[in-house]
Amino acid sequence: MQASRVVIVGTGGTIAGVAGRADDLVDYRAGTLDAADLVAAVPTLAGELLETETLARLDSSDMDHATWLALHARLVALLQRADLAGVVVTHGTDTLEETAYFLHRTLAAPRPVVLTAAMRPATALSPDGPRNLADAVAVARTPGAGGVVVAFGGRVLAGHEVRKVHGFALDAFSTGDAGPIAVSEQGALRLLRAWPQAPLHAAATRLSAAHAAGAAAPLAWPRVDIVTSHAGADGRVIDALLAAGTQGIVVAGTGNGSVHAALDAAARRALARGVRVVRASRCQLGGVVGARADALPSYGVLTAAQARVELLLDLLADA
Ligand code: SIN
């Protein structure tokens, strides 16, 4: 028999946010409500086979590596339960693309791990969280579904492709040219392409070892920074990062990943000191296509934020 129980893990965000006034969509406290409160606000979820737990109460702009590790450990444990159809993670929108990418690269998810979020706080006159949560639970229960995905705004997006492209609008996420995996129509999913499958990063074994060791051997996360190329850029930020002991730098380049000559020269100084440097694009969509013969390396389509996660994992795996 197909399992239908779903666990909802709360990590904070606007979806769990509370404002002083119902018409205030800006000045609110993210991560105030528990996962159970979010479920209680969705009448169609009443009586459903759901469990809730609140792992964190973060405004996701404050997301950190320790919370990622705790979330990863919890999801690994939950995905071992044969009675679960899938897991839903409620999250803030601001760094959702980083958490989704991190999980996609490090979590074997034969059953769906569905991230969801909201642009409006739970106290808004017309909050978007309840609909998104109901959709996320439906995705988590979909037979044959799997991988790390995002249910948001009536669409299901691949966790490794998603990016936040709007700071305020309800339709805040895009997967660009890739498009959605599925659309939600009247509570039913119309599948457009295959569920994502993750070739796990080698660093996943480091995370498993960290879970096993617990506090006895805390994971030493490498320091990876993002620097943006822009008109008038120079190398001083990179030189300061070298002095601060950075181990990896993502240069968010202009256009197709081009880098100001002065910044590029500083990046070469970093490379000469053994610091990994990769290029991304500061454009929202498209990433970096191809490379000139002398260009810094890139991870192709990844956003600068995703490239930072990939470099972090590369450095973790090499450590
Ligand atoms: C956050 O990312 O936690 C705040 C913003 C949001 O969820 O939309």
Side-chain angles (χ1 to χ4, degrees):
M1 201 177 80
Q2 175 79 29
S4 62
R5 184 177 290 270
V6 172
V7 177
I8 298 168
V9 180
T11 69
T14 294
I15 192 169
V18 171
R21 289 192 342 244
D23 61 348
D24 199 334
L25 302 179
V26 174
D27 187 6
Y28 57 86
R29 195 172 176 82
T32 302
L33 301 176
D34 281 327
D37 301 323
L38 305 187
V39 171
V42 187
T44 55
L45 294 181
E48 296 284 333
L49 279 175
L50 299 174
E51 294 172 27
T52 56
E53 46 189 82
T54 301
L55 182 119
R57 295 170 173 279
L58 286 175
D59 184 314
S60 83
S61 54
D62 294 328
M63 184 51 68
D64 52 52
H65 300 155
T67 305
W68 275 358
L69 191 62
L71 178 62
H72 187 273
R74 190 65 195 126
L75 293 175
V76 168
L78 288 171
L79 288 169
Q80 282 165 5
R81 278 179 52 180
D83 65 323
L84 291 190
V87 183
V88 169
V89 178
T90 58
H91 197 287
T93 60
D94 284 352
T95 58
L96 183 141
E97 70 192 74
E98 294 171 57
T99 300
Y101 188 80
F102 167 72
L103 294 176
H104 170 82
R105 294 293 278 133
T106 58
L107 190 67
R111 281 167 284 162
V113 172
V114 190
L115 281 78
T116 195
M119 290 299 285
R120 293 180 177 167
T123 48
L125 289 172
S126 55
D128 51 331
R131 173 82 256 167
N132 289 343
L133 183 58
D135 283 349
V137 170
V139 173
R141 284 195 177 130
T142 300
V148 177
V149 296
V150 176
F152 196 92
R155 295 179 302 161
V156 184
L157 308 169
H160 63 294
E161 291 166 344
V162 74
R163 61 215 50 197
K164 189 171 181 182
V165 294
H166 202 290
F168 191 72
L170 286 181
D171 188 15
F173 288 93
S174 173
T175 48
D177 300 330
I181 294 171
V183 289
S184 172
E185 295 168 340
Q186 282 286 94
L189 280 191
R190 181 159 58 92
L191 198 61
L192 302 173
R193 58 193 179 96
W195 297 96
Q197 285 189 331
L200 287 194
H201 195 286
T205 52
R206 289 292 311 279
L207 300 184
S208 305
H211 300 331
L219 191 61
W221 292 87
R223 180 180 172 126
V224 180
D225 296 283
I226 300 176
V227 173
T228 303
S229 187
H230 52 82
D234 63 28
R236 278 182 287 184
V237 172
I238 286 186
D239 290 336
L241 289 174
L242 291 176
T246 193
Q247 291 158 275
I249 298 172
V250 177
V251 182
T254 42
N256 189 26
S258 53
V259 179
H260 191 292
L263 195 57
D264 189 74
R268 310 274 164 187
R269 289 198 288 280
L271 283 172
R273 287 177 50 171
V275 171
R276 290 270 307 271
V277 184
V278 298
R279 279 180 311 138
S281 171
R282 67 180 207 188
C283 296
Q284 286 179 340
L285 301 173
V288 176
V289 178
R292 296 223 283 251
D294 59 344
L296 296 164
S298 89
Y299 293 122
V301 295
L302 300 189
T303 63
Q306 293 165 334
R308 183 185 168 278
V309 177
E310 187 71 20
L311 184 49
L312 193 66
L313 295 174
D314 282 355
L315 291 168
L316 258 185
D318 291 348

